[in-house]
């Protein structure tokens, strides 16, 4: 089986993800006693949490996508001053550590914040309002970038034809763009829904009490405060079941799309413009800027204070920075390797007459992890290690692996479209000359490296901002910057915390630009 | 009369086209990379050069493609794969596809002209290459523009189908008094389409003749050089 031998390293990558995840889940579930679940099931608090999780996740996903579609269209069709900066800002706001963004949002919308100063009355931040502000802040930019990637897959020939036929922006959206976007929207909705459904840090900080809690927070409470593995297992299973039902429903109604590949490559051609589309562009741009910009300004404002320069001398800050980097870089690389493994096998199956159904399932399995709370994976892995007699000093590897797995859906989103497109266009050429494995990667390198860089950068930055898993093991010599920041905010040293936030953002920027330039090359989308 | 005097530069390639196309068919011959398709792209508005392009007293050189009285038939990708045959033709009249009954009849008529009436519900990926180009021709008919530019649109078709297409284009050009300009690699196609033949070399129009006389030219004609190696 020469044709399959080159996929062996990929299988290793896939099992590194799936076998360990399965083992961790089994380890946790072995502590479950389903006979006692009846009392959990009839608990009205659980169902209130489920209802609220469901509502806030659906609203967050809908709002993010409804804003992202006109925003992406505007960014694709218009060239304006600051466009590139805005795209970079989106990239950052997607991966800015949650706790940092929450800090920025509190400064803007909090009781004594800018909003109160401007309008004379406070914004109802704690509860659904704050959760939506934060979730859209994180996920609308993600949606814009994923939709822009779909735009890039529209063949140039379609724009040439649209220009010849005198289509307006609205018409071109209806007849061309929508056919390419709608294939991506169900998956995108699902991604954002699951991210918000299992929202942890945002809901913990801005939920404002048990009235607006999510399952993930309930699981954290069960694990951290009650150490009730049985209850945690029940709540995790409940989360997995709800997410699976939503996923099945979304994929069932996902429309099939006729997509083509064209060899024509041309420049940008004019479309018929109208006042309506210009007005919509400016309107959407204003809403998005008002949503995303103020928290950033709020985070960066402490740079001009003396306290900022003083807190740079704090040795705990630099220790936190070192721990953050030594977790984030390996877990980013691990996530990219696992993502590439899934991509390699999925695309080898995609056009195979019998295995093509499995390609989609394999790709979806990378997203499955969004349904499984990271805390559950981490606890499961911890129990597994304990069962195998490995001591807790290996919590480092647990954190690295869980962070890598959690970043996998983002890595897949970044690399799958271009990996599939290469396969679709050149599959027969590669088959004819039997170019596989390493030699194929070298040929494709120039085309796929911007996507790989984007995937790696997301994974590293997500891991850098993680507060969930590291909060569970945080006291064992893994005090990362977000942990340190969380402790500072907890002990009401908010101003010093704001300074740590600036350093953390700086680190994010350095790593993001470093990775996209070094791995992505000059063509990388930043 | 479509007249033009345009210059265009891209990397090491420099072109300067001067001339005019009368009503009727004109074919453009020339070696690969000599700038045949560039001339068509300049006329269609898909690349912008310097100079003037005039038609019936109107300067087109700065107009976007959709404001020029021109339909271009490209070598490939003339149809939207996500739209049915009927819709692909209908968008030539009105992008919203909300047609009056007279306009609907026009679409039906155009599909009849290219003998594809029974394919109107199909999608482009269910058509052969020749059928796809005929759908594009049906859209040319409903768009009803006085100028038709053809950028080797039949080069991928087999000889019989190709000659059928050329005869169809020739008939339509004569019937509707179009100014039709076709870029081709094949002198035989130019002869079949009839009308004038131009020769382009290194970004310039270097010779012109009647299609009927293409094979009877004196040996010093630049065409002879091209024909002997093509």
């Amino acid at each position: 089986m020469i044709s399959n031998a080159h996929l062996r390293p990929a299988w290793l990558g896939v099992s590194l993800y799936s076998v360990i995840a399965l083992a961790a889940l089994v380890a946790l579930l072995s502590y479950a006693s389903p006979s006692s679940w009846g009392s959990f099931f009839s608990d009205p608090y659980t169902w209130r949490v489920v209802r609220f999780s469901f509502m806030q996740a659906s609203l967050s996903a809908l709002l993010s996508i409804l804003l992202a579609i006109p925003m992406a269209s505007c960014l694709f069709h218009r060239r304006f001053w600051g466009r590139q900066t805005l795209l970079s800002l989106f990239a950052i706001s997607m991966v800015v550590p949650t706790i940092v963004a929450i800090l920025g949002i509190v400064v803007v919308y909090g009781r004594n914040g800018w909003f109160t100063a401007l309008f004379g009355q406070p914004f109802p931040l704690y509860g659904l309002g704050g959760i939506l502000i934060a979730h859209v802040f994180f996920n609308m930019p993600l949606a814009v970038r994923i939709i822009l990637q779909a735009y890039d897959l529209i063949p140039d020939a379609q724009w040439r034809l649209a220009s010849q036929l005198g289509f307006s922006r609205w018409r071109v959206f209806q007849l061309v763009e929508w056919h390419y976007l709608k294939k991506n929207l169900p998956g995108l909705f699902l991604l954002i829904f699951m991210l918000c459904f299992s929202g942890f840090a945002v809901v913990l900080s801005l939920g404002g009490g048990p009235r607006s809690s999510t399952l993930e927070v309930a699981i954290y409470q069960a694990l951290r405060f009650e150490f009730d593995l049985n209850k945690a297992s029940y709540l995790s299973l409940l989360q997995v079941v709800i997410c699976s039902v939503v996923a099945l429903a979304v994929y069932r109604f996902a429309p099939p799309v006729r997509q083509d590949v064209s060899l024509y490559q041309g420049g940008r051609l004019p479309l018929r413009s109208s006042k309506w589309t210009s007005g919509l562009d400016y309107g959407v741009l204003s809403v998005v800027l008002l949503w995303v910009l103020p928290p950033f300004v709020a985070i960066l404002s402490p740079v001009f204070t003396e306290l900022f320069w003083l807190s740079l001398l704090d040795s705990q800050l630099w220790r936190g920075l070192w721990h953050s980097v030594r977790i984030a870089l390996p877990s980013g690389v691990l996530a990219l390797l696992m993502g590439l493994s899934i991509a390699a096998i999925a695309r080898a199956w995609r056009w195979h007459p019998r295995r093509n159904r499995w390609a989609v399932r394999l790709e979806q399995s990378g997203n499955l992890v969004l349904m499984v709370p990271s805390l559950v994976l981490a606890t499961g892995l911890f129990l597994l290690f304990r069962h195998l007699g490995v001591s807790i000093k290996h919590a480092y590897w647990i954190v690295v692996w869980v962070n890598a797995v959690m970043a996998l859906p983002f890595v897949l989103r970044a690399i799958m479209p271009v990996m599939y497109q290469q396969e679709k266009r050149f599959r027969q050429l590669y088959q004819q000359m039997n170019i596989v494995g390493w030699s194929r990667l070298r040929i494709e390198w120039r085309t796929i490296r911007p996507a790989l860089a984007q995937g790696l950068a997301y994974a590293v930055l997500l891991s850098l901002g993680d507060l969930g898993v590291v909060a569970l093991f945080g006291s064992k010599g893994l005090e990362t910057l977000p942990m340190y920041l969380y402790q500072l905010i907890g002990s009401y040293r908010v101003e010093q915390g704001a300074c740590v936030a600036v350093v953390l953002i700086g680190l994010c920027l350095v790593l993001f630009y470093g990775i996209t330039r070094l791995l992505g090359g000059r063509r990388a989308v930043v | 009369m479509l007249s033009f005097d345009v210059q265009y530069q891209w990397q090491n390639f420099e072109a300067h086209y001067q001339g005019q196309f009368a009503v009727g068919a004109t074919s453009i011959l020339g070696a690969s990379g000599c700038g045949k398709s560039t001339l068509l792209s300049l006329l269609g508005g898909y690349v912008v050069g310097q100079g003037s392009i005039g038609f019936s007293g109107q300067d087109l050189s700065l107009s976007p493609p959709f404001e020029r009285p021109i339909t271009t038939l490209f070598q490939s990708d003339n149809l939207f794969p996500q739209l049915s045959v009927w819709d692909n033709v209908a968008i030539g009249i009105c992008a919203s596809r909300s047609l009056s009954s007279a306009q609907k009849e026009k679409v039906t008529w155009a599909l009849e002209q290219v003998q594809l009436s029974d394919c109107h519900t199909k999608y482009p990926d269910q058509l052969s290459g020749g059928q796809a180009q005929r759908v594009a021709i049906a859209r040319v008919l409903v768009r009803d523009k006085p100028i038709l530019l053809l950028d080797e649109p039949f080069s991928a078709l087999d000889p019989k189908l190709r000659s059928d297409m050329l005869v169809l284009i020739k008939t339509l050009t004569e019937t509707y008094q179009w100014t039709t300009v076709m870029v081709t690699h094949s002198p035989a196609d130019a002869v079949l389409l009839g009308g004038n033949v131009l020769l382009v070399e290194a970004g310039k129009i270097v010779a012109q003749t009647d299609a009927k006389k293409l094979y009877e030219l004196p040996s010093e004609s630049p065409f002879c050089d091209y024909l002997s190696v093509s």
Side-chain angles (χ1 to χ4, degrees):
Chain A
M1 291 290 281
I2 295 169
S3 61
N4 282 333
H6 66 275
L7 286 177
R8 275 178 208 151
W11 277 112
L12 186 70
V14 169
S15 41
L16 201 60
Y17 152 62
S18 51
V19 174
I20 297 183
L22 210 65
L25 276 184
V26 170
L28 179 67
L29 289 179
S30 67
Y31 284 84
S33 50
S35 53
S36 64
W37 285 4
S39 62
F40 298 140
F41 196 78
S42 54
D43 182 6
Y45 175 69
T46 312
W47 292 110
R48 209 166 57 227
V49 167
V50 168
R51 261 201 311 277
F52 183 77
S53 301
F54 198 86
M55 181 183 66
Q56 61 85 11
S58 310
L59 280 177
S60 303
L62 263 181
L63 208 55
S64 300
I65 291 179
L66 282 180
L67 273 175
I69 292 173
M71 189 66 237
S73 165
C74 169
L75 283 168
F76 183 81
H77 288 288
R78 281 186 187 274
R79 293 290 174 273
F80 51 87
W81 186 85
R83 177 180 173 277
Q84 201 51 45
T85 318
L86 187 64
L87 276 173
S88 308
L89 198 69
F90 280 180
I92 299 163
S93 74
M94 271 170 52
V95 283
V96 65
T98 322
I99 187 79
V100 172
I102 289 169
L103 192 79
I105 288 170
V106 169
V107 172
V108 177
Y109 299 99
R111 216 172 297 279
N112 301 315
W114 301 357
F115 187 92
T116 316
L118 204 66
F119 296 101
Q121 58 181 42
F123 183 86
L125 181 66
Y126 296 96
L128 186 62
I131 291 172
L132 284 183
I133 291 233
H135 279 164
V136 173
F137 176 88
F138 288 115
N139 294 306
M140 182 265 297
L142 166 78
V144 168
R145 288 180 72 95
I146 288 175
I147 293 173
L148 276 178
Q149 278 183 351
Y151 266 101
D152 283 337
L153 294 180
I154 301 176
D156 283 357
Q158 298 231 344
W159 304 117
R160 178 176 67 175
L161 214 49
S163 183
Q164 159 158 271
L165 294 166
F167 285 2
S168 63
R169 275 276 298 285
W170 167 241
R171 208 53 80 191
V172 98
F173 177 81
Q174 206 184 9
L175 295 181
V176 179
E177 294 164 18
W178 179 242
H179 288 269
Y180 288 83
L181 300 190
K182 71 180 178 188
K183 190 186 175 192
N184 283 279
L185 293 184
L188 182 59
F189 179 87
L190 198 62
L191 177 71
I192 300 179
F193 177 89
M194 288 187 182
L195 285 173
C196 300
F197 191 80
S198 57
F200 176 66
V202 168
V203 181
L204 195 67
S205 330
L206 300 176
R211 216 162 37 86
S212 345
S213 186
T214 58
L215 274 174
E216 187 102 358
V217 174
I219 293 168
Y220 175 74
Q221 284 158 350
L223 284 173
R224 179 90 189 178
F225 302 123
E226 303 162 33
F227 205 69
D228 187 345
L229 294 173
N230 182 27
K231 189 175 178 187
S233 308
Y234 166 74
L235 293 173
S236 315
L237 269 185
L238 194 60
Q239 172 146 337
V240 171
V241 167
I242 292 173
C243 286
S244 311
V245 169
V246 173
L248 281 177
V250 167
Y251 281 121
R252 179 149 197 94
F253 295 114
V257 139
R258 288 159 211 282
Q259 212 153 330
D260 68 330
V261 179
S262 152
L263 298 178
Y264 169 76
Q265 283 199 321
R268 194 161 288 275
L269 293 167
L271 295 170
R272 220 183 269 278
S273 62
S274 78
K275 278 183 195 156
W276 281 103
T277 46
S278 303
L280 186 67
D281 280 347
Y282 289 122
V284 168
L285 201 58
S286 317
V287 172
V288 165
L289 284 180
L290 275 176
W291 209 301
V292 177
L293 266 187
F296 269 109
V297 178
I299 296 163
L300 293 175
S301 50
V303 181
F304 304 106
T305 63
E306 198 184 339
L307 182 66
F308 174 73
W309 301 102
L310 280 176
S311 51
L312 282 186
L313 300 172
D314 182 4
S315 67
Q316 215 179 335
L317 172 77
W318 296 106
R319 250 202 320 279
L321 192 135
W322 160 242
H323 285 311
S324 288
V325 171
R326 112 188 150 92
I327 290 173
L329 281 180
S331 82
V333 171
L334 190 60
L336 184 63
L337 289 179
M338 292 192 291
L340 273 174
S341 303
I342 290 180
I345 294 173
R347 74 174 183 175
W349 285 354
R350 183 70 181 78
W351 283 275
H352 190 283
R354 285 189 311 279
R355 297 185 191 147
N356 58 356
R357 281 183 309 138
W358 293 98
V360 184
R361 289 193 190 150
L362 186 66
E363 195 192 335
Q364 284 167 356
S365 81
N367 291 328
L368 274 182
V369 73
L370 285 174
M371 303 181 196
V372 186
S374 60
L375 300 172
V376 164
L377 277 182
T379 311
L381 213 54
F382 170 72
L383 294 172
L384 186 71
F385 275 11
R386 200 171 69 169
H387 187 70
L388 296 174
V390 185
S391 75
I392 188 60
K393 68 179 179 203
H394 294 284
Y396 170 72
W397 287 108
I398 297 185
V399 175
V400 166
W401 182 84
V402 172
N403 280 346
V405 167
M406 285 295 137
L408 199 52
F410 294 89
V411 175
L412 286 176
R413 285 261 146 210
I415 65 174
M416 283 317 278
V418 70
M419 295 288 277
Y420 271 148
Q421 199 178 40
Q422 287 294 305
E423 178 77 11
K424 190 172 180 182
R425 263 181 93 164
F426 302 115
R427 178 174 33 112
Q428 283 157 342
L429 220 52
Y430 284 124
Q431 278 176 352
Q432 180 178 287
M433 291 176 272
N434 195 26
I435 299 174
V436 291
W438 180 243
S439 26
R440 179 166 173 180
L441 185 70
R442 275 171 50 197
I443 295 174
E444 289 179 333
W445 176 245
R446 240 173 71 85
T447 324
I448 63 174
R449 63 186 284 195
L452 297 190
Q454 204 182 44
L456 180 65
Y458 289 166
V460 168
L461 265 62
L462 279 173
S463 173
L464 201 64
D466 166 64
L467 191 58
V469 187
V470 95
L472 216 55
F473 299 111
S475 51
K476 305 281 189 296
L478 290 173
E479 296 90 351
T480 58
L481 276 185
M483 265 307 282
Y484 181 41
L485 180 53
Y486 185 68
Q487 285 160 3
L488 286 177
I489 295 174
S491 54
Y492 299 106
R493 285 144 75 191
V494 176
E495 274 155 7
Q496 199 183 344
C499 303
V500 175
V502 172
V503 173
L504 190 47
I505 288 258
L507 182 63
C508 285
L509 284 179
V510 168
L511 285 175
F512 190 83
Y513 279 99
I515 290 168
T516 34
R517 281 281 175 249
L518 283 178
L519 183 63
R522 280 191 302 146
R523 281 172 59 236
V525 190
V526 174
Chain B
M1 187 75 81
L2 174 65
S3 55
F4 51 92
D5 182 353
V6 272
Q7 296 185 28
Y8 178 72
Q9 193 177 359
W10 189 70
Q11 293 180 350
N12 293 327
F13 176 74
E14 274 179 49
H16 185 186
Y17 306 99
Q18 284 173 294
Q20 44 196 332
F21 297 128
V23 171
T26 306
S27 299
I28 302 177
L29 289 174
S32 291
C34 71
K36 304 184 295 286
S37 294
T38 306
L39 173 57
L40 243 52
S41 296
L42 282 163
L43 295 174
Y46 302 101
V47 294
V48 179
Q50 288 174 318
S52 60
I53 299 168
F55 182 74
S56 307
Q58 186 192 354
D59 182 32
L60 308 179
S61 57
L62 295 175
S63 310
F66 51 85
E67 280 175 6
R68 301 188 183 205
I70 294 172
T71 298
T72 307
L73 216 54
F74 305 104
Q75 194 167 10
S76 61
D77 298 305
N78 284 295
L79 304 180
F80 289 111
Q82 62 269 29
L83 300 184
S84 68
V85 165
W86 172 275
D87 286 340
N88 262 298
V89 178
I91 51 171
I93 298 177
C94 174
S96 72
R97 289 170 290 162
S98 49
L99 306 186
S100 67
S101 54
Q103 286 170 324
K104 282 180 189 160
E105 273 172 33
K106 197 171 176 186
V107 174
T108 312
W109 164 81
L111 284 171
E112 276 166 10
Q113 294 297 301
V114 294
Q115 295 163 5
L116 283 177
S117 303
D118 44 353
C119 293
H120 68 275
T121 52
K122 285 189 178 173
Y123 282 85
D125 59 3
Q126 298 167 298
L127 303 176
S128 69
Q131 285 174 321
Q133 293 302 57
R134 266 149 62 199
V135 176
I137 294 174
R139 190 168 62 214
V140 173
L141 284 170
V142 300
R143 264 169 70 78
D144 207 12
K145 301 280 182 190
I147 303 167
L148 172 63
L149 306 179
L150 305 153
D151 191 359
E152 300 186 60
F154 313 127
S155 57
L157 306 183
D158 65 60
K160 167 80 174 70
L161 204 54
R162 197 158 83 193
S163 68
D164 287 351
M165 292 289 175
L166 289 166
V167 170
L168 176 65
I169 293 288
K170 185 180 179 181
T171 317
L172 293 172
T173 301
E174 284 162 3
T175 313
Y176 299 104
Q177 291 291 294
W178 287 338
T179 301
T180 299
V181 183
M182 176 175 77
V183 160
T184 177
H185 271 115
S186 154
D189 285 1
V191 172
L192 202 53
L193 186 68
N196 270 321
V197 184
L198 302 184
L199 182 66
V200 170
E201 272 176 14
K204 287 190 171 56
I205 296 169
V206 293
Q208 180 172 358
T209 184
D210 191 310
K212 287 183 201 133
K213 297 179 188 158
L214 191 59
Y215 289 110
E216 302 159 14
L217 292 168
S219 58
E220 63 273 18
S221 164
F223 275 111
C224 292
D225 211 16
Y226 169 75
L227 292 174
S228 64
V229 291
S230 66

